[in-house]
Amino acid sequence: MVKMSVGEKYVSKNKDPLIVDFPYSILYKHTFGEVSPFFVGLKNKRLLGTVCRNREKHKNGKDLLFLPPRADCPECMAEVTEWVDLTDADIRIYTFTTAYFAGETFLDRIPYTLINIDVQGYDNSYSKLTSTLVINEPGEINIGLKDIRIGMKIKPKFKDVPLEKVDASTLYFVPAEK
Amino acid sequence: MGNRVAMIAGGMTQFAKARKDSTQEELVMEAARMALFENDLKIDPLDVKKMIDGTIVSYFSDHFERQLLFGAIIRDYLGFNPIQSARIEGGGATGGLGLKAGYEMVKSGDASVVMVIGFEKMSEVSTSKGNEFIALASDTDFDFPVGGYYSAYYAAMATRYMYEFGITEKQMAKVAVKNRNNAQYNFFAQTNSKNPYATKSTSGFITIYDVLNSPMIATPLKRLDCCLMSDGAAVAILAEESIAKELTDRPVIIEGVGNGTDTMRPADRPTTVGGLIKDDLLLPHEKAEWYEDMVYPGLHSFRAGRKAAKMAYKMAGITNPLEQIDVVELHDAYTSSELQTYEDLGLAKYGEGGKLIDSAPFDDEKGVFKEINPKLANRVHVNPSGGLLGCMHAVGATGIMQAVSVMWQIQGKIEKFYGSDKLQVKNAKRGLAHSHAGTGSDVTVFVLGRGW
Ligand SMILES: [Zn+2]
């Protein structure tokens, strides 16, 4: 016996809807506020994070490194004013994925590898910044997609862009070991 | 027990990649009409409608249709002015949060009967633009500009999940097989070939080989590991218990409600050793020694899901979910996240989500489960509707579709609505509906139980 869903009588009879075009575009004038030094740092080829040292007030009892940077500590509510330069720090891959599909803006870049980073020497609870890994940069260590692994050593690199075009994608990483 | 709140009725549209035949408000009417007219209410549906003294309108994105204040259009179209209403938004958990808001309206006494209305129409922009709109629900200063989008965020989490616990791509693929093949018996499902709006080329039964050989989206997630994008609507009607009993013979009681949260950016998820215990997230059936050395939540677990489950279980008196819950509808945005969610809900030990899917008899040669809607751990059914992988993900409607599906399971009405009794869990007394946003930024859990 063929069963029917009550849904069958709700199926639309309309076979001829009118479909028209609605274009829509916007330019945002966006501020990076008090973490602007991070983005100015990228322009100057430096990787900067902020640190809150009120460790006795933090849940894990440790200094907290913020990367993405924060101007305020979510745990002790203090203003965070100390910037640390991590350009030459020991940085590893915490996790990664290679993307073969993307949102419209990034379709021309596929395949590309997204990573979360792991800065050695700090608790990494607030500092696993999302970035990209470039594996075939001329003049740098080149590896295959299959060689990318958790724990692998990487180093920051910076695109040359005018200050008004700087964003998080100005920063990227390359392998620092095979 | 005070004034408990019950679910009494639900409705949903046929889900599809594109429902060009109808506007959003017309789709919502389809679901609302079904909720009022098809749920065996004991009095005239239009008299029930007159008793509704609050609505919640839940939809995720203002971008998909370029329409702000959509709630006003919906209320008008359904004829609910001038009664109280609010729009609720919380990413992928919009539907669950909408239900929670409706529950609170009744629980507080501000309303006695509430219609919760969820919808999304995602087809008016291209799929890649749609992915971008969804990606705007991630951090647009730091994560989106580097090429971030949701499948990639989940993929990076899946990479870490596999690394931490030894989960395999095959275990993940099994989730897609289970949910997608369930959907073939749910008339509303987007991938059901019998759905008149289905895209035939992307419908029908699948095997584990189809999943493993489908195009790579973001390693390790392949096309069939990723949820659908849909047009559609879902509606639930909630009522104060004594009124609910006047309106239906089969009220389904909301026994437990929970909600948890976590950071927007995966980057900021704590990696605390023993974090689960420090955050007081141990469930009654778990032992502290299991998790004392485990980093938590890291990028492998959804702390918000555990928090929501713990809260809902406490309210509902659940001390061992696997023993006390018959059917679960959970937010399987990705096959990996269904496995992760088993652990957050306490259906499996952390790290053993893969073992739970492996517990169901599987035909390795054919690459399918030996039965449709298999029992996990010989006990619980997960996502009989087909979930987000097989049925739909019309964001604002999703959590409501799943809760209504659990209600119909408990009421024994699956055959009537899905058009097949194959997915009816026999003698289902208690169910769980889970709704989840972002990379786990917002999660709700409802425990629903038989109220007659
Ligand atoms: Zn602090």
Side-chain angles (χ1 to χ4, degrees):
Chain A
M1 191 177 96
V2 180
K3 301 276 176 28
M4 284 256 296
S5 157
V6 295
E8 302 216 22
K9 63 181 181 234
Y10 287 74
V11 170
S12 167
K13 313 276 181 301
N14 179 16
K15 301 283 182 240
D16 197 19
L18 175 65
I19 296 162
V20 299
D21 287 352
F22 271 160
Y24 186 43
S25 81
I26 318 168
L27 176 69
Y28 290 90
K29 290 289 187 187
H30 181 60
T31 178
F32 286 125
E34 293 183 53
V35 297
S36 297
F38 172 81
F39 294 94
V40 177
L42 299 186
K43 171 70 189 160
N44 298 325
K45 302 193 184 303
R46 307 308 297 176
L47 174 60
L48 305 176
T50 59
V51 177
C52 181
R53 299 202 189 273
N54 293 332
R55 52 168 64 193
E56 71 286 353
K57 295 178 186 162
H58 297 157
K59 207 149 83 177
N60 63 9
K62 294 176 186 170
D63 292 347
L64 296 176
L65 171 65
F66 300 113
L67 190 64
R70 295 179 188 232
D72 303 282
C73 176
E75 295 207 4
C76 71
M77 305 292 276
E79 284 184 47
V80 179
T81 54
E82 183 182 341
W83 287 85
V84 288
D85 190 329
L86 303 164
T87 317
D88 302 315
D90 181 353
I91 300 175
R92 309 295 177 105
I93 293 178
Y94 186 78
T95 192
F96 67 94
T97 180
T98 300
Y100 293 85
F101 181 78
E104 194 173 73
T105 312
F106 304 100
L107 274 177
D108 58 347
R109 287 174 38 198
I110 53 175
Y112 59 91
T113 298
L114 280 179
I115 55 173
N116 287 96
I117 68 165
D118 187 1
V119 183
Q120 304 298 295
Y122 288 92
D123 176 79
N124 64 8
S125 285
Y126 292 90
S127 55
K128 299 178 292 301
L129 179 76
T130 307
S131 192
T132 49
L133 179 73
V134 176
I135 57 170
N136 55 358
E137 175 101 331
E140 299 291 347
I141 294 175
N142 283 201
I143 59 168
L145 285 171
K146 296 249 178 285
D147 302 323
I148 304 169
R149 61 192 185 275
I150 287 172
M152 185 177 163
K153 206 169 169 196
I154 52 175
K155 65 173 190 184
K157 295 264 295 191
F158 308 87
K159 285 184 210 159
D160 255 323
V161 290
L163 195 53
E164 69 277 9
K165 299 268 187 206
V166 167
D167 70 13
S169 70
T170 304
L171 168 72
Y172 61 102
F173 286 79
V174 296
E177 65 179 350
K178 279 272 184 193
Chain B
M1 290 294 279
N3 62 329
R4 297 197 301 176
V5 181
M7 274 182 87
I8 61 168
M12 58 187 71
T13 60
Q14 294 299 112
F15 297 103
K17 172 93 180 158
R19 285 287 309 265
K20 296 287 187 197
D21 57 285
S22 300
T23 65
Q24 187 61 84
E25 53 273 31
E26 291 161 0
L27 288 177
V28 167
M29 179 62 95
E30 203 176 304
R33 190 184 285 138
M34 187 182 294
L36 282 167
F37 287 86
E38 307 291 350
N39 283 267
D40 312 309
L41 298 177
K42 292 200 278 186
I43 66 171
D44 186 298
L46 291 180
D47 289 332
V48 177
K49 191 187 175 199
K50 283 184 200 137
M51 295 169 73
I52 293 175
D53 50 1
T55 65
I56 295 292
V57 181
S58 86
Y59 64 103
F60 157 60
S61 177
D62 299 319
H63 293 64
F64 278 112
E65 283 215 273
R66 206 200 54 165
Q67 173 67 61
L68 304 185
L69 197 55
F70 216 142
I73 293 175
I74 298 294
R75 290 177 332 239
D76 165 15
Y77 202 76
L78 298 183
F80 278 123
N81 292 320
I83 64 165
Q84 63 181 327
S85 184
R87 181 254 178 119
I88 297 289
E89 188 277 319
T94 294
L97 289 164
L99 273 177
K100 184 163 182 283
Y103 163 85
E104 287 159 354
M105 232 183 211
V106 176
K107 189 75 185 167
S108 67
D110 283 351
S112 48
V113 184
V114 169
M115 183 179 277
V116 181
I117 303 154
F119 60 87
E120 212 77 44
K121 200 169 212 298
M122 306 171 77
S123 69
E124 302 214 336
V125 298
S126 70
T127 302
S128 57
K129 185 54 105 182
N131 264 284
E132 192 164 301
F133 285 163
I134 295 167
L136 293 176
S138 64
D139 187 307
T140 56
D141 280 351
F142 291 97
D143 287 350
F144 173 68
V146 301
Y149 63 104
Y150 266 94
S151 300
Y153 302 139
Y154 274 85
M157 293 185 91
T159 302
R160 189 74 198 189
Y161 179 56
M162 293 166 79
Y163 174 84
E164 293 280 346
F165 297 134
I167 303 291
T168 66
E169 291 183 39
K170 212 177 145 189
Q171 288 169 326
M172 288 165 22
K174 280 184 175 179
V175 172
V177 173
K178 171 173 72 66
N179 296 358
R180 171 70 174 263
N181 290 350
N182 283 352
Q184 303 313 309
Y185 298 91
N186 175 357
F187 181 66
F188 299 109
Q190 180 166 334
T191 65
N192 182 336
S193 321
K194 292 197 275 308
N195 176 343
Y197 306 98
T199 312
K200 301 298 174 207
S201 60
T202 53
S203 308
F205 291 92
I206 57 170
T207 70
I208 198 168
Y209 310 110
D210 293 324
V211 184
L212 293 170
N213 295 323
S214 61
M216 188 62 80
I217 298 293
T219 54
L221 299 175
K222 291 153 283 285
R223 179 69 210 95
L224 291 174
D225 287 302
C226 304
C227 66
L228 303 160
M229 280 169 84
S230 316
D231 284 1
V235 159
I237 302 177
L238 311 181
E240 189 276 323
E241 184 173 6
S242 62
I243 296 169
K245 286 181 170 158
E246 289 168 23
L247 297 181
T248 176
D249 291 330
R250 296 182 184 181
V252 170
I253 303 294
I254 298 175
E255 297 179 344
V257 182
N259 174 213
T261 58
D262 216 327
T263 66
M264 173 70 122
R265 295 186 296 241
D268 301 351
R269 297 283 161 83
T271 49
T272 313
V273 175
L276 184 134
I277 295 151
K278 286 180 186 154
D279 280 336
D280 190 26
L281 292 174
L282 203 64
L283 295 176
H285 70 287
E286 294 176 329
K287 294 190 171 68
E289 69 210 46
W290 295 354
Y291 302 134
E292 269 160 2
D293 302 324
M294 184 178 74
V295 166
Y296 193 84
L299 291 190
H300 53 79
S301 296
F302 301 117
R303 181 171 54 165
R306 171 48 70 96
K307 178 71 181 172
K310 179 152 181 169
M311 200 174 151
Y313 291 165
K314 189 174 176 200
M315 182 174 159
I318 302 285
T319 51
N320 190 335
L322 194 57
E323 284 172 13
Q324 292 166 276
I325 291 168
D326 305 308
V327 55
V328 172
E329 286 281 341
L330 64 80
H331 192 93
D332 52 330
Y334 298 91
T335 54
S336 48
S337 63
E338 174 158 327
L339 298 180
Q340 290 165 304
T341 299
Y342 294 162
E343 302 168 10
D344 302 322
L345 297 179
L347 300 173
K349 233 169 146 174
Y350 273 104
E352 296 188 357
K355 261 193 195 166
L356 188 60
I357 193 79
D358 282 339
S359 69
F362 195 80
D363 184 330
D364 281 304
E365 201 175 320
K366 291 187 184 140
V368 294
F369 285 94
K370 290 190 174 156
E371 49 191 274
I372 291 295
N373 194 22
K375 274 185 187 174
L376 305 186
N378 202 25
R379 174 69 191 106
V380 71
H381 298 268
V382 179
N383 283 337
S385 73
L388 286 70
L389 292 163
C391 181
M392 59 76 101
H393 191 24
V395 184
T398 303
I400 298 168
M401 179 284 282
Q402 292 193 293
V404 166
S405 290
V406 172
M407 176 188 73
W408 287 338
Q409 287 284 0
I410 295 169
Q411 292 176 329
K413 293 185 181 177
I414 286 297
E415 180 176 3
K416 172 176 180 178
F417 286 97
Y418 287 3
S420 162
D421 66 352
K422 199 119 181 137
L423 301 171
Q424 176 67 54
V425 174
K426 304 282 176 289
N427 199 28
K429 287 205 173 69
R430 191 180 277 119
L432 182 152
H434 164 271
S435 183
H436 166 122
T439 51
S441 63
D442 307 68
V443 179
T444 63
V445 168
F446 286 79
V447 176
L448 303 170
R450 196 177 277 192
W452 69 94

